[in-house]
Amino acid sequence: MADLDRLLARAAEWRDQPLALATVIGTWGSAPRPRGSHMLVAADGRFEGSVSGGCVEGEVLAHAAEVIGGGGFRRLRYGVADAAAWEVGLPCGGEIELIVQPVSDQGFAPALFDRIAAARDAGASLEIATDLVTGNSGEAADAAEREAFVNSYRPPRRMLIVGAVQIAQSLAALARELDFAVTVIDPRARFLTADRFPGVVLDDRWPDEAVAAARPGPATALVTLSHDIKIDDPALIAALTAPTGYIAALGSRKSHAARRARLADLGFDEAALARIEGPAGIAIGAIGPAEIALSIAAGAVRAFSTKAG
C-alpha cells in the first residue's frame, strides 16, 4: 500500500479521536520530502506518514499535540540557518516549510479524506487548497484564497505486468511499494494464482484484450515478461496503440531486435518502436529475479519522473 493510501486508511481508522495533519508546503535545496507530503497525528500519539524523512518529526509531533489541544493552525519553517533546525536534526542543507492543521471543519475537514480516496479509486485527480492565513482547506475549485497552498492529489500510477513468471512476483511486490496499482496479466491459469501474486489484480484474458480493457494512459506502465511472443507481442501492440506512459519488454538485445522487426512488419514506425524500452529497465548488472525486477521498476520510475519534470 502506498504512503498516501496508508495515510487515508489511518484517517478512517482514527476518526474516533482528535487528529492533526502536517503538510509540506515548500522546499528549498536538499529537502528530504517533496511538497504535499503529509503526516497524520492522532491524539493518542500514533502517527502515519512523514514530512522530513525523520529530521523534524519530533518537533512537528509536539506542534501537532498543541494543535489537537486547541492551539490552532501552525505555519513552520526549518532550515540549516536556524538553531532549531540543528536541534531537531535538519543538517542536510535544505529548507522546508510546513503547516499543521486540526482535522476538523475549521481546518482540514474529515470529509476531504473521503474525497481524495474516491478520486483515487476513480483514477481522477483532485486539488485541495489551504488558506495560509486561516488554515482552512477545501476543494480548489471552490476556493478563492488570496494566499493559498494547492495540493494536487493524483491517481496512483498503474503497472500492467504481462507474464506471471518469477520476475513478475518480485516486480509486483516492489511496484506496489512504489505507489503503482498493479495488474498481472496471463492467460495461463497455473501461473496466475493469488498465492503467487497476493494483493494485486489478476487478469486471465489474452493480453490484447486485457490491456485494451485497462485503457492504459500516461500514468500507466506496461511490462512484458513472458518470453512468449504469443503473449508479449499482443500486449505490446495494444500498449503502442494507446497513450501508455512507459512500455518495456524483457529480453536480450538480439530478441528485442527481432521483436522490433516483427512489430515493424505490422506497420509500427520507428517513433512507435522507440517507445519500447528493451531490454527492460536500467542497466545495473542485475542478476536474479529480484534484481531484474528492481532494474525494471527503476526504469519505470525514471520514465515517469522525467516526464513530470
Side-chain angles (χ1 to χ4, degrees):
M1 189 183 295
D3 289 348
L4 180 55
D5 293 319
R6 278 192 286 264
L7 188 138
L8 293 172
R10 296 295 177 266
E13 179 184 339
W14 297 344
R15 278 190 181 178
D16 61 345
Q17 61 180 305
L19 305 171
L21 182 69
T23 306
V24 178
I25 64 168
T27 64
W28 298 267
S30 181
R33 295 285 290 162
R35 294 173 75 253
S37 298
H38 288 305
M39 183 167 73
L40 182 69
V41 183
D44 64 9
R46 289 180 291 175
F47 67 95
E48 179 67 50
S50 172
V51 289
S52 72
C55 296
V56 301
E57 259 71 2
E59 178 89 354
V60 174
L61 285 171
H63 283 287
E66 293 174 359
V67 168
I68 288 172
F73 167 71
R74 302 293 170 89
R75 188 170 176 177
L76 311 168
R77 184 163 178 160
Y78 299 101
V80 293
D82 303 318
W86 288 91
E87 290 170 7
V88 299
L90 188 66
C92 57
E95 295 182 46
I96 57 174
E97 187 171 10
L98 314 170
I99 56 174
V100 184
Q101 306 164 265
V103 176
S104 69
D105 291 337
Q106 299 302 313
F108 195 94
L112 293 177
F113 291 119
D114 297 329
R115 294 181 193 174
I116 295 167
R120 285 173 68 79
D121 289 343
S125 295
L126 180 69
E127 290 190 335
I128 302 294
T130 300
D131 185 321
L132 295 179
V133 175
T134 66
N136 294 332
S137 297
E139 288 195 37
D142 302 327
E145 286 80 14
R146 287 173 294 179
E147 185 182 6
F149 169 70
V150 178
N151 203 359
S152 181
Y153 299 90
R154 296 181 176 87
R157 297 172 295 189
R158 295 189 296 158
M159 181 174 288
L160 308 178
I161 301 173
V162 178
V165 296
Q166 188 177 11
I167 295 171
Q169 291 178 277
S170 295
L171 181 57
L174 181 56
R176 288 184 66 211
E177 289 300 315
L178 294 172
D179 198 13
F180 284 89
V182 179
T183 299
V184 180
I185 300 167
D186 199 315
R188 301 169 297 184
R190 289 184 62 188
F191 288 76
L192 194 73
T193 66
D195 286 343
R196 299 185 71 229
F197 295 95
V200 303
V201 176
L202 306 180
D203 193 326
D204 62 0
R205 290 177 288 185
W206 278 96
D208 53 349
E209 182 183 354
V211 173
R215 301 177 64 185
T220 305
L222 177 129
V223 182
T224 61
L225 302 176
S226 80
H227 286 300
D228 185 335
I229 64 174
K230 299 188 302 296
I231 293 175
D232 289 350
D233 282 10
L236 292 171
I237 292 167
L240 288 171
T241 55
T244 312
Y246 174 73
I247 305 172
L250 189 67
S252 66
R253 288 180 174 81
K254 181 178 179 180
S255 65
H256 186 58
R259 179 187 298 122
R260 287 173 60 99
R262 292 193 303 273
L263 294 173
D265 288 342
L266 294 175
F268 290 100
D269 61 18
E270 183 61 30
L273 297 176
R275 295 174 59 197
I276 305 173
E277 185 169 86
I282 293 175
I284 60 172
I287 299 174
E291 291 184 4
I292 294 171
L294 174 63
S295 73
I296 295 171
V301 170
R302 177 181 63 182
F304 288 125
S305 297
T306 300
K307 290 174 183 177

